[in-house]
């Protein structure tokens, strides 16, 4: 009798991985080109980062991660502040904290493990003896 397949470990994190990717992507989008404008767009980028980052993260946490409304609101507020910081966070300790708190740093390792496990299992589910 075959052993039942084990469910993959759920990523337990403060933020949903989609929220982490959203925060980092939006920050890169808003502040990656700030130097090209000579800082003229900085004020607009800060306000848009706070509003879009906070609202988007709050919705992801509420709808996708199924957080309570209060928890989703608080996480959205923190994300809005982080995205609204007037510099790109990608290579900073703030960006590292977003990666770690959303489980994005674990996704690569988990994907590699899943690929390796898939390649080592027989495709027909049974013994592959001739």
């Amino acid at each position: 009798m075959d052993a039942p397949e084990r469910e993959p470990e759920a990523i337990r994190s403060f933020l949903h991985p989609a929220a982490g990717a959203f925060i980092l992507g939006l920050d890169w989008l808003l502040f990656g080109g700030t130097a090209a404008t000579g800082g003229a767009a900085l004020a607009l980028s800060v306000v848009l980062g706070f509003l879009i980052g906070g609202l988007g993260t709050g919705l992801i946490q509420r709808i996708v991660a199924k957080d309570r409304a209060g928890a989703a609101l608080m996480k959205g507020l923190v994300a809005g502040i982080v995205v609204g910081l007037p510099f790109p966070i990608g290579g900073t300790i703030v960006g590292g904290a977003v990666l770690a708190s959303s489980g994005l740093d674990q996704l690569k390792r988990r994907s590699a493990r899943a690929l390796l496990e898939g390649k080592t299992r027989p495709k027909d589910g049974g013994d592959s003896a001739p």
Side-chain angles (χ1 to χ4, degrees), residues 101-113:
S101 69
S102 64
L104 285 172
D105 60 335
Q106 300 171 16
L107 286 179
K108 183 177 179 183
R109 190 173 342 121
R110 291 178 189 270
S111 297
R113 187 181 317 139

Side-chain angles (χ1 to χ4, degrees), residues 5 15 49 70 106 125:
E5 289 190 29
L15 291 172
Q106 300 171 16

Side-chain angles (χ1 to χ4, degrees), residues 42-96:
L42 185 63
L44 181 63
S45 293
V46 167
V47 172
L48 285 176
F50 177 76
L51 294 174
I52 296 170
L55 182 62
T57 301
L59 287 173
I60 290 170
Q61 289 300 128
R62 181 72 176 135
I63 296 168
V64 179
K66 308 284 190 235
D67 280 353
R68 294 183 334 269
L73 179 68
M74 289 307 296
K75 290 175 184 181
L77 179 63
V78 169
I81 292 169
V82 167
V83 176
L85 292 173
F87 55 85
I89 63 170
T92 67
I93 195 164
V94 177

Side-chain angles (χ1 to χ4, degrees), residues 17-32 57 79 82-83 88-92 94-100 102 104-105:
F22 178 75
I23 290 167
L24 292 172
L26 183 61
D27 182 73
W28 175 79
L29 179 71
L30 289 172
F31 295 106
T57 301
V82 167
V83 176
I89 63 170
T92 67
V94 177
V98 170
L99 284 171
S102 64
L104 285 172
D105 60 335

